[in-house]
């Protein structure tokens, strides 16, 4: 799998602190693309420029009214340039942007003091001291601080080199293999149609590929791709991309949508998360507070359900469920930001732990333990808790990859390790694996054996428990069939005509039952291919219907009679003879009709049809229009 070769740098800082001018000085490109921005000299939406062929810069707005646009930009960056004007120093949006960067888990950055030509050296030192105090305890602590002047060009060359050197040390972003790109712009170009832009956070893409548009769950097709203003045949992890899509209008795609590999991700309006409330928050966060949630480039209104306490005080954290008013889509460990509904201020953020959970009860110890495990980055612990949480139904590879956040190649290695250590079992196939905890396999196996034992104790004459009834011991058909196969291999059970019995179970008749069974066999033997039903047998023998039925079951279990249809039983000898007649006739005539088989057995159409259906079901014959032919070489 390709490692990351392309990186995205974001700007941050208060309005009018020279972020856009700095980007233009670095790249020669004015990131203020909107005429309104250029007229007002203020960035109100995201702007983009390129430092070189491998590094893009996102310029974000500083004005507090456009914080949601800022969040959309920095949610996809690899590092940040925190810009603080020398003449103003630290300002309100400086602090809020730093808070947002922290909760979005940005790890790398540098600090740029812009407009350094407007102050003297003594003032510049005071600004540096204020900045050092501001970033104390954050990811920007001890990071380089570089004064520049975009107007005079002072420090621009040094800044560019510092950016190149810092990017060279960045760890690559995790590549999940599947394509994932949050959309930050959607527009239309005459002659081309709809174009969307975004930062590629996973996978790669080529023209002609089909993608899911999420959370709308529409499929779109890629007509063409551009990066750095040039057409390309492939875009990869870390690149800024402009994607031309077919059969969809620009109005159908909005900022916050995600383009992703098809049929892979499931939108949800509930997410489990770990939430940190900022120290700067003015009051504790109460349970069920209505907030603005920013996930990727999307803003959604929702409520916070606090799972482990009644409120989260400033500077504290807790486990929560995000209950959104609209659906969104995320990957496990994606960062998010929450802002107060009104007035709109940033109050915290955290990471997504489960992308499609159930509604939880508050203060549920098991749920809190699960979330605590999901918070860790120990992949084996994460996989174990996910599998235990879905033990009854098991999990396939796609679900494990989505919920664990582990890319498939690495995931397969961990699963192989767990299989070798007998922690889990693949109850599916090699092509379509379905993984279950080994403990679930053992527990379900014991449940099945206990149910069979209880059945034999309550119904000692019956040949076995109906397979469909036994299946209620498990919610998974895959697990059920896997366990039955293993029990058959170990000769612990046998299955005949969809009836399951313990191999150790023996049917024993008392003297009275033995007498009735002999009477039944005598009548069925004389009837040959036109056997009476249970009610008629009971009447002839003079025994209760239920007792007669129980004896029939016993004879079936003793392999003396065979049920070919409800209330239609033949002796084993008669069935064997009927099978031989059928085979011989078809071998001589290549096929047989119901009427011909009826005449061959000298019986009625009812019994001939019942027998033919039975032989179809066991794979001896196959119906072709109105005739039967042999389905196997005899």
């Amino acid at each position: 799998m390709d490692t990351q070769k392309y990186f995205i740098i974001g700007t941050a800082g208060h309005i009018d602190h020279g972020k856009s001018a700095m980007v233009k000085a670095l790249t020669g490109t004015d990131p203020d693309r909107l005429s309104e921005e250029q007229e007002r000299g203020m960035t109100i939406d995201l702007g983009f420029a390129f430092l070189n062929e491998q590094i893009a810069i996102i310029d974000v707005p500083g004005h507090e009214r456009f914080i949601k646009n800022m969040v959309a930009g920095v949610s996809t960056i690899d590092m940040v340039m925190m810009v603080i004007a020398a003449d103003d120093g630290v300002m309100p949006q400086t602090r809020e942007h730093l808070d947002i960067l922290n909760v979005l888990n940005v790890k790398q950055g540098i600090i740029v003091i812009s407009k350094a030509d407007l102050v003297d050296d003594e003032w510049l030192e005071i600004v540096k001291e204020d900045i050092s105090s501001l970033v104390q305890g954050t990811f920007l602590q001890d990071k380089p601080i570089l004064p520049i002047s975009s107007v005079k060009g002072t420090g621009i060359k040094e800044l560019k080199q510092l950016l190149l050197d810092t990017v060279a040390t960045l760890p690559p972003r995790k590549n999940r293999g599947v394509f994932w790109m949050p959309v930050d712009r959607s527009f239309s170009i005459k002659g081309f149609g709809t174009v969307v832009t975004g930062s590629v956070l996973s996978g790669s893409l080529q023209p002609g590929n089909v993608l899911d548009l999420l959370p709308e769950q529409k499929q779109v097709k890629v007509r063409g791709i551009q990066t750095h203003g040039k057409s390309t045949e492939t875009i990869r992890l870390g690149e800024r991309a402009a994607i031309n899509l077919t059969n969809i209008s620009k109005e159908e795609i909005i900022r916050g949508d995600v383009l992703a590999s098809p049929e892979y991700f499931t939108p949800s309006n509930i997410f489990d998360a770990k939430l940190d409330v900022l120290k700067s928050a003015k009051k504790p966060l109460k349970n069920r507070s209505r907030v603005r949630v920013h996930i990727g480039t999307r803003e959604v209104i929702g409520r916070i359900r606090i799972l482990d306490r009644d409120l989260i005080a400033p500077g504290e954290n807790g486990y929560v469920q995000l209950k959104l008013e609209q659906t969104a889509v995320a990957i496990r460990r994606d960062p998010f930001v929450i802002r107060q509904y009104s007035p709109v201020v940033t109050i915290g953020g955290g990471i997504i732990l489960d992308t499609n959970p159930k509604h939880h009860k508050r203060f549920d110890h098991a749920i809190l333990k699960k979330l605590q495990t999901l918070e860790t980055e120990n992949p084996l612990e994460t996989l174990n808790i996910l599998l235990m949480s879905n033990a009854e139904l098991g999990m396939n590879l796609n679900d494990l990859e989505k919920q664990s956040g582990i890319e498939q190649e690495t995931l397969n290695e961990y699963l192989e390790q767990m299989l070798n250590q007998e922690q889990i079992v693949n109850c599916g196939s090699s092509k379509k694996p379905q993984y279950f905890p080994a403990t679930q396999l053992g527990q379900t196996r014991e449940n099945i054996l206990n149910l069979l034992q209880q059945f034999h104790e309550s119904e000692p004459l019956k040949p076995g428990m109906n397979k469909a009834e036994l299946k209620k011991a498990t919610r998974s058909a895959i697990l059920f069939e896997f366990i039955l196969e293993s029990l058959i291999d170990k000769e612990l059970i046998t299955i005949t005509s969809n009836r399951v019995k313990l191999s150790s179970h023996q049917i024993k008749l008392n003297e009275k039952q033995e007498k009735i069974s002999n009477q039944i066999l005598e009548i069925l033997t004389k009837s040959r291919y036109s056997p009476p039903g249970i009610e008629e047998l009971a009447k002839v023998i003079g025994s209760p219907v239920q007792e007669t039925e129980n004896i029939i079951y016993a004879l079936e279990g003793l392999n003396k009679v065979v049920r070919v249809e409800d209330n239609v039983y033949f002796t084993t000898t008669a069935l064997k003879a009927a099978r031989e007649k059928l085979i011989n006739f078809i071998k001589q005539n290549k096929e047989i009709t119901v009427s011909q088989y009826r005449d061959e057995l000298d019986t009625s159409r009812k019994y001939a049809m019942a027998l033919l259906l039975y032989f179809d079901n066991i794979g001896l014959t196959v119906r072709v229009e109105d005739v039967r032919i042999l389905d196997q070489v005899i």
Side-chain angles (χ1 to χ4, degrees):
M1 189 175 293
D2 292 340
T3 56
Q4 184 175 358
K5 299 176 183 178
Y6 305 91
F7 295 87
I8 299 167
I9 301 171
T11 67
H14 195 79
I15 182 175
D16 200 30
H17 274 206
K19 296 186 294 298
S20 300
M22 176 193 68
V23 173
K24 185 175 182 180
L26 280 169
T27 65
T29 300
D30 187 349
D32 287 343
R33 57 185 177 81
L34 301 177
S35 58
E36 184 181 359
E37 293 174 329
Q38 294 170 352
E39 289 169 7
R40 295 165 62 183
M42 179 180 76
T43 302
I44 61 177
D45 206 344
L46 304 176
F48 307 97
F50 298 94
L51 190 66
N52 61 24
E53 288 296 312
Q54 292 181 302
I55 301 173
I57 297 177
I58 296 180
D59 183 35
V60 304
H63 196 284
E64 59 88 14
R65 287 188 295 143
F66 304 109
I67 286 288
K68 69 176 183 179
N69 295 347
M70 179 267 176
V71 175
V74 300
S75 66
T76 62
I77 66 173
D78 296 293
M79 66 169 286
V80 69
M81 288 187 283
M82 174 60 78
V83 182
I84 302 169
D87 56 340
D88 278 345
V90 175
M91 296 290 282
Q93 262 60 65
T94 311
R95 298 180 186 278
E96 186 168 18
H97 282 204
L98 182 58
D99 284 341
I100 290 169
L101 291 165
N102 274 315
V103 296
L104 284 172
N105 205 29
V106 176
K107 297 292 188 184
Q108 298 292 333
I110 62 172
I111 301 164
V112 179
I113 301 178
S114 61
K115 305 182 182 182
D117 57 313
L118 300 182
V119 301
D120 56 29
D121 291 344
E122 184 178 352
W123 183 262
L124 194 60
E125 288 305 313
I126 293 173
V127 172
K128 286 183 180 179
E129 289 177 12
D130 286 345
I131 292 171
S132 296
S133 176
L134 171 72
V135 301
Q136 189 73 26
T138 75
F139 74 99
L140 285 177
Q141 182 177 330
D142 300 326
K143 291 295 190 288
I145 300 176
L146 184 65
I148 67 160
S149 170
S150 300
V151 174
K152 294 186 176 181
T154 309
I156 296 299
K157 181 178 179 182
E158 291 79 4
L159 175 57
K160 185 172 184 178
Q161 189 59 53
L162 178 60
L163 291 173
L164 294 173
D165 293 342
T166 305
V167 167
T169 67
L170 294 179
R173 188 186 291 265
K174 182 190 293 184
N175 190 354
R176 298 171 55 83
V178 294
F179 186 77
W180 178 270
M181 190 191 86
V183 173
D184 49 45
R185 288 171 61 202
S186 174
F187 51 93
S188 181
I189 297 178
K190 190 174 181 179
F192 289 90
T194 302
V195 176
V196 298
T197 65
S199 302
V200 180
L201 302 187
S202 178
S204 60
L205 188 70
Q206 295 81 38
N209 285 170
V210 173
L211 296 171
D212 275 350
L213 175 66
L214 302 170
E216 291 82 354
Q217 292 184 291
K218 295 179 181 178
Q219 284 207 331
V220 294
K221 189 172 183 180
V222 178
R223 174 185 287 168
I225 309 169
Q226 281 197 351
T227 185
H228 294 249
K230 299 176 183 177
S231 295
T232 181
E233 288 302 308
T234 304
I235 51 170
R236 298 179 177 85
L237 170 66
E239 286 192 281
R240 283 293 305 174
I243 305 175
N244 184 200
L245 301 172
T246 63
N247 301 323
I248 193 164
S249 68
K250 68 173 184 176
E251 289 80 14
E252 294 177 84
I253 306 179
I254 60 172
R255 171 174 292 164
D257 287 345
V258 172
L259 290 175
S261 296
E263 299 180 0
Y264 194 85
F265 298 98
T266 304
S268 176
N269 63 351
I270 304 179
F271 295 88
D272 286 345
K274 179 69 174 291
L275 172 65
D276 289 89
V277 173
L278 296 173
K279 290 181 181 179
S280 59
K282 294 183 178 180
K283 58 183 179 180
L285 180 69
K286 295 180 180 179
N287 183 47
R288 293 195 56 79
S289 293
R290 196 164 187 241
V291 296
R292 300 173 186 271
V293 182
H294 298 263
I295 302 178
T297 58
R298 191 175 189 82
E299 179 191 44
V300 190
I301 306 300
R303 291 191 184 273
I304 300 291
R305 291 188 68 244
I306 304 175
L307 299 176
D308 60 351
R309 62 195 70 194
D310 290 319
L311 51 81
I312 305 177
E316 294 185 353
N317 56 55
Y319 295 114
V320 302
Q321 276 201 317
L322 308 177
K323 302 273 288 193
L324 307 181
E325 294 178 11
Q326 295 174 298
T327 57
V329 65
I331 300 175
R332 180 177 168 269
R333 300 196 70 80
D334 268 359
F336 67 94
V337 173
I338 62 167
R339 307 188 75 220
Q340 194 168 285
Y341 182 72
S342 181
V344 184
V345 293
T346 303
I347 54 179
I351 58 170
I352 301 295
L353 299 179
D354 193 336
T355 59
N356 205 353
K358 298 176 182 177
H359 177 87
H360 302 316
K361 291 182 179 179
R362 299 179 66 211
F363 305 106
D364 185 317
H365 177 73
I367 293 300
L368 295 176
K369 185 177 179 181
K370 172 187 173 182
L371 296 179
Q372 186 178 16
T373 304
L374 289 176
E375 186 186 353
T376 71
E377 294 196 60
N378 183 320
L380 290 174
E381 284 188 21
T382 298
L383 291 174
N384 185 59
I385 195 69
L386 286 173
L387 285 162
M388 290 301 294
S389 299
N390 297 275
E392 292 186 347
L393 293 175
M395 297 185 74
N396 59 35
L397 271 177
N398 278 354
D399 288 340
L400 277 170
E401 189 175 355
K402 282 187 283 187
Q403 294 187 41
S404 69
I406 304 170
E407 59 91 12
Q408 197 172 100
E409 186 175 337
T410 305
L411 175 62
N412 283 329
E413 293 175 6
Y414 287 128
L415 291 172
E416 189 66 30
Q417 181 180 334
M418 295 174 81
L419 286 166
N420 292 337
Q421 294 175 355
E422 298 184 351
Q423 294 175 281
I424 61 172
V425 180
N426 175 17
C427 296
S429 63
S430 57
K431 290 185 178 180
K432 289 186 176 181
Q434 189 80 2
Y435 297 99
F436 292 82
T439 52
Q440 181 68 27
L441 183 77
Q443 181 182 329
T444 306
R445 180 179 179 275
E446 287 305 307
N447 288 345
I448 287 173
L449 291 173
N450 288 337
L451 281 173
L452 288 173
Q453 183 63 42
Q454 292 167 16
F455 177 83
H456 291 320
E457 289 172 1
S458 63
E459 301 284 357
L461 297 183
K462 287 190 176 181
M465 189 174 182
N466 184 280
K467 187 177 177 182
E469 188 67 22
L470 182 62
K471 185 184 177 298
K472 293 178 182 178
T474 173
R475 292 173 60 196
S476 168
I478 293 175
L479 178 60
F480 180 67
E481 294 295 340
F482 182 88
I483 290 174
L484 289 194
E485 287 297 324
S486 68
L487 292 174
I488 291 171
D489 290 342
K490 293 178 181 178
E491 298 183 352
L492 292 175
I493 65 169
T494 57
I495 302 178
T496 306
S497 300
N498 277 329
R499 293 185 182 273
V500 188
K501 69 178 282 288
L502 294 173
S503 300
S504 59
H505 177 66
Q506 299 295 323
I507 296 174
K508 295 180 180 179
L509 301 175
N510 59 33
E511 187 176 340
K512 179 185 176 184
Q513 292 167 340
E514 189 74 47
K515 182 180 178 181
I516 295 173
S517 71
N518 289 334
Q519 289 177 294
I520 291 172
L521 284 173
E522 184 179 352
I523 293 169
L524 291 178
T525 300
K526 288 180 179 178
S527 307
R528 198 145 173 86
Y529 302 122
S530 302
I534 291 173
E535 292 82 1
E536 189 177 346
L537 278 170
K539 186 176 181 181
V540 172
I541 295 169
S543 67
V545 172
Q546 186 60 58
E547 185 177 28
T548 305
E549 186 175 35
N550 288 339
I551 301 299
I552 282 283
Y553 285 146
L555 289 170
E556 187 181 359
L558 292 168
N559 201 31
K560 292 183 179 181
V561 302
V562 178
R563 181 176 65 88
V564 300
E565 194 177 78
D566 284 345
N567 204 27
V568 178
Y569 290 84
F570 290 88
T571 65
T572 306
T573 303
L575 187 69
K576 183 179 179 182
R579 181 179 184 275
E580 290 175 356
K581 285 179 178 289
L582 178 65
I583 291 171
N584 291 335
F585 189 96
I586 296 177
K587 280 186 174 181
Q588 293 174 14
N589 302 280
K590 296 185 179 180
E591 60 187 37
I592 193 170
T593 64
V594 177
S595 299
Q596 288 171 330
Y597 195 45
R598 176 199 63 198
D599 295 343
E600 192 71 11
L601 298 179
D602 189 21
T603 186
S604 69
R605 184 178 181 86
K606 168 188 171 182
Y607 295 112
M609 177 62 77
L611 284 164
L612 286 175
L613 288 174
Y614 172 81
F615 290 128
D616 288 346
N617 289 333
I618 66 171
L620 177 67
T621 54
V622 61
R623 180 177 176 177
V624 180
E625 295 181 351
D626 292 331
V627 301
R628 260 75 175 181
I629 60 174
L630 292 177
D631 194 32
Q632 52 183 303
V633 178
I634 303 297

